[in-house]
Amino acid sequence: MAAFAFDNSYRRLPERFYAPLAPQPVVAPRLIAFNRVLAAELGLDADAMAPTAAGLFSGNQIAEGAEPIALAYAGHQFGNFVPQLGDGRALLLGELIDAKGFRRDVQLKGSGPTPFSRNGDGRAALGPVLREYVVSEAMHALGIPTTRALAAVATGEIVRRETALPGAILTRVAASHIRVGTFQYFAARQDAEALRLLADHVIARHYPQAGTAERPYLALLAAVAERQANLVARWMTVGFVHGVMNTDNTAISGETIDYGPCAFLDAYDPATVFSSIDRGGRYAFRNQPAIAQWNVARFAETLLFLIDPDIDTAIALATETLKAMTSQFGRAWLSGMRAKLGLMREEDEDGTLIGELLGAMHAGAADFTLTFRTLADGAGAARDLFGAPEAFDTWAARWQARTAREGVADAEIRARLKAANPAIIPRNHRVEDVITAAVERQDFAPFQTLLEAVQRPFEDLPQFAPFTRPPQADERVLQTFCGT
Ligand code: AMP
Ligand code: MG
C-alpha cells in the first residue's frame, strides 16, 4: 500500500518551473518529532508510517508516488531584487489531498543541494528546524494561517555555519509553496506564458472564486491582498515579528511561511527588531503591515499585463486594489484588538482606547502577551505589570466603563478575554533553551514539553505555568539569527 496518495499538480507545469531531483541521503537519520495529528489530517496512517518515518522524513527513502522537485523562484530580499533564488535546501516531495479535500504540499527542508543552492550546502541545522517546528505549530494553535510541521529528523551529520552544528531536516506542509517571488521569477524573464499558467494554477488551487470574476487576475490580486492584510493583522494581535518579510517569503496562499529569525514581543515596543541581519529595521514589528502591502505591490506588477491589455487601466485597477489593503488591515486589526479587550460591540472610540493601552504598555515596558491575558483577572491584576502604572490606571477606568456598555456579565467578559488572549506563546528565551538543550546535550525533552505547551495556548494548566512568564532581565533574548 502506498503510504502517501500523492497527486503532483505542480509537477505537471512546464519543466522551467522546477528542477526534478532526489534528496541526498543522510548518514544516520533519527526521528525527533512526528506530528500524528497532522498526519491523520493528511490522511496518512501514522502507525503504519512510524517504523519507517526516519527514512521517509530524511529523504533516505523516497515514498511511493513522490516526485521530488526543487521550485524556481526569485524575490526581493530587504528591498533588493534577486532574479534567481529557488529551493536551495528544500524539495517538494509531492502534493496530497487532505481529509477535508484541500491540496497540501509536503516538503523536505534541509534535504541537500539543488541547482538553486548557489554557495549553500543545502542543509539545515538542528536549531532552526526546532524553532520552525515549535513556532509554526504554535501559530497554528493560535488560529493563525501557517505552514505546518509534520516531522523533524536529526541527520547524524554535521553542518558548518559559524561553528559545527548537528544537522536536521524538517518536513513542512503548506497549502502551497508558491510565493510572490515565484511570479517575480517569470516576470524577470518576461515569460508571459509561464505567468499566465502560474496565475491560472493559483486561481484553480487557492482562489477558485476569482476564476469566475469579470476580471479573474484582478480578483486574484484582490484575494491575495486581502489574505495578506488579514494575516499580518493576526500577527500584530499576538506580537509576532516575522523578521524576513522578503517577497520570496510571502506565500500566495496567505499562510505564514519561512520561519527564520522570527520571534514574539515580550515587553511591548512597536520598534522591536530581533533579526541580526535586519540592521535598518525594515522588518520591525510596526512596519509589517506596510511591508506586506509593498510585497503585494510587487506581486501586482507581475500581473499587470493579465489584468488589462491597456497598461494604464491595469495600473489604475491594481493601485485601487492595493490601496484597499490599508483599510482591510485596519478593520482586521481593530476587530482582533477589540476581541482582545473583550469587546464585541463597535464604538467609534475603540481605536483610541486600544491605542492608549498600547501607549501605556510601551511607556511601562509591560509584557504584551501577559498584559492582555491578565486583564481577564481584572485591571488590578494587570496594573502590577506596568513600570509606570499611572497611565494604565487612567486607561483601566475607561476600559471598565467601556466593558460595562457591552451589557454582559463580568464572567462573560472574562471568558472572552481568555478565549482571545493566549497565556502561552513560544517565548524567545524558551525557544533558545530548547535549542541549547538539543544541540549541546542531545536532550529533546525540553523541546517536547514546550511543543505540548504551545499547542494549548489558551488553557491555564498548572504544569505549563512556567511558559506563561516573561523572561527575567538576564534571560531576555534581544537578537535572533536565521542560522541558515
Ligand atoms: P531564506 O532566507 O531562508 O528565505 O532563504 C533565502 C534563499 O537562500 C532561498 O533560495 C534558500 O533556498 C537559500 N538558502 C538558504 N539556506 C541555504 C542553504 N543552507 N543551502 C542552500 N541554499 C540555502
Ligand atoms: Mg525563504
Side-chain angles (χ1 to χ4, degrees):
M1 188 197 82
F4 297 82
F6 283 119
D7 173 50
N8 305 323
S9 67
Y10 206 80
R11 176 85 188 222
R12 296 194 282 270
L13 290 165
E15 280 259 2
R16 61 191 189 282
F17 281 64
Y18 51 78
L21 181 77
Q24 190 177 0
V26 300
V27 170
R30 190 167 74 83
L31 191 68
I32 300 167
F34 179 39
N35 190 337
R36 285 171 167 267
V37 177
L38 178 59
E41 237 180 74
L42 295 174
L44 304 176
D45 183 343
D47 290 327
M49 196 166 268
T52 52
L56 286 172
F57 299 120
S58 61
N60 278 17
Q61 203 176 317
I62 313 263
E64 198 183 311
E67 299 175 291
I69 50 178
L71 309 195
Y73 55 85
H76 273 93
Q77 298 188 310
F78 291 91
N80 305 306
F81 186 62
V82 184
Q84 180 165 313
L85 290 164
D87 288 333
R89 53 164 165 170
L91 285 175
L92 176 62
L93 287 182
E95 302 159 26
L96 297 174
I97 310 298
D98 74 13
K100 289 190 179 144
F102 293 114
R103 184 175 290 276
R104 314 273 290 266
D105 272 8
V106 181
Q107 188 206 55
L108 298 181
K109 188 169 171 183
S111 50
T114 78
F116 304 108
S117 297
R118 292 170 292 167
N119 298 319
D121 59 3
R123 292 300 186 192
L126 177 60
V129 166
L130 296 182
R131 181 192 303 276
E132 176 156 351
Y133 201 117
V134 167
V135 181
S136 64
E137 288 304 300
M139 292 290 266
H140 173 70
L142 291 167
I144 299 176
T146 177
T147 62
R148 303 288 306 277
L150 180 60
V153 172
T155 60
E157 296 178 0
I158 292 297
V159 296
R160 300 204 173 275
R161 296 295 178 259
E162 263 134 57
T163 55
L165 295 167
I169 297 174
L170 178 77
T171 302
R172 175 162 79 179
V173 174
S176 82
H177 285 83
I178 301 167
R179 304 140 191 272
V180 167
T182 316
F183 283 82
Q184 291 181 294
Y185 177 86
F186 295 111
R189 286 157 183 76
Q190 300 187 323
D191 189 340
E193 188 206 13
L195 281 167
R196 189 183 292 272
L197 285 169
L198 183 61
D200 290 342
H201 176 89
V202 165
I203 288 173
R205 185 163 174 179
H206 297 302
Y207 301 101
Q209 46 333 326
T212 57
E214 192 186 329
R215 292 179 185 270
Y217 303 108
L218 182 65
L220 168 63
L221 174 63
V224 169
E226 191 170 8
R227 290 247 185 123
Q228 284 297 319
N230 287 330
L231 177 67
V232 175
R234 299 300 306 278
W235 292 356
M236 303 304 280
T237 60
V238 296
F240 178 74
V241 187
H242 182 284
V244 229
M245 288 179 71
N246 294 333
T247 57
D248 53 299
N249 295 337
T250 303
I252 292 293
S253 68
E255 289 181 338
T256 310
I257 194 168
D258 277 6
Y259 292 85
C262 62
F264 285 78
L265 300 182
D266 290 306
Y268 178 70
D269 178 353
T272 301
V273 176
F274 290 108
S275 171
S276 62
I277 57 171
D278 190 3
R279 297 209 176 79
R282 180 181 170 90
Y283 300 138
F285 177 70
R286 66 175 163 213
N287 290 356
Q288 296 184 118
I291 289 290
Q293 195 174 28
W294 191 90
N295 290 344
V296 177
R298 305 289 77 75
F299 176 51
E301 286 164 358
T302 72
L303 292 180
L304 287 175
F305 78 101
L306 292 170
I307 290 175
D308 196 280
D310 176 60
I311 185 72
D312 294 326
T313 306
I315 289 174
L317 291 168
T319 304
E320 205 180 306
T321 306
L322 288 166
K323 276 194 187 148
M325 256 186 104
T326 308
S327 47
Q328 281 159 358
F329 168 79
R331 275 196 304 278
W333 182 80
L334 195 55
S335 110
M337 296 305 287
R338 270 200 187 100
K340 287 177 79 68
L341 291 180
L343 310 176
M344 279 173 64
R345 297 176 54 238
E346 295 181 11
E347 287 190 15
D348 289 346
E349 293 299 303
D350 290 343
T352 312
L353 187 70
I354 295 160
E356 281 176 9
L357 175 59
L358 293 174
M361 287 169 68
H362 188 192
D367 184 82
F368 184 82
T369 302
L370 193 58
T371 298
F372 283 103
R373 182 74 180 181
T374 308
L375 286 176
D377 299 327
R383 183 180 198 273
D384 295 342
L385 303 171
F386 286 73
E390 297 75 22
F392 176 78
D393 290 338
T394 312
W395 176 84
R398 292 189 52 200
W399 176 58
Q400 265 155 358
R402 175 65 185 82
T403 52
R405 291 199 294 279
E406 288 287 301
V408 296
D410 283 355
E412 164 66 13
I413 299 286
R414 188 186 148 85
R416 287 182 190 173
L417 286 163
K418 292 238 174 199
N421 296 303
I424 299 176
I425 52 160
R427 290 184 182 270
N428 309 331
H429 65 299
R430 293 291 179 184
V431 175
E432 292 297 331
D433 286 350
V434 157
I435 292 173
T436 304
V439 170
E440 289 177 9
R441 303 190 293 278
Q442 292 76 52
D443 178 4
F444 292 93
F447 164 74
Q448 292 297 348
T449 308
L450 179 61
L451 183 60
E452 279 171 39
V454 301
Q455 283 168 340
R456 304 170 75 172
F458 297 101
E459 294 173 49
D460 289 311
L461 297 167
Q463 70 270 34
F464 296 138
F467 298 103
T468 66
R469 285 184 211 123
Q472 304 285 325
D474 63 337
E475 291 175 320
R476 268 180 215 137
V477 175
L478 300 176
Q479 201 171 45
T480 54
F481 302 87
C482 294
T484 57

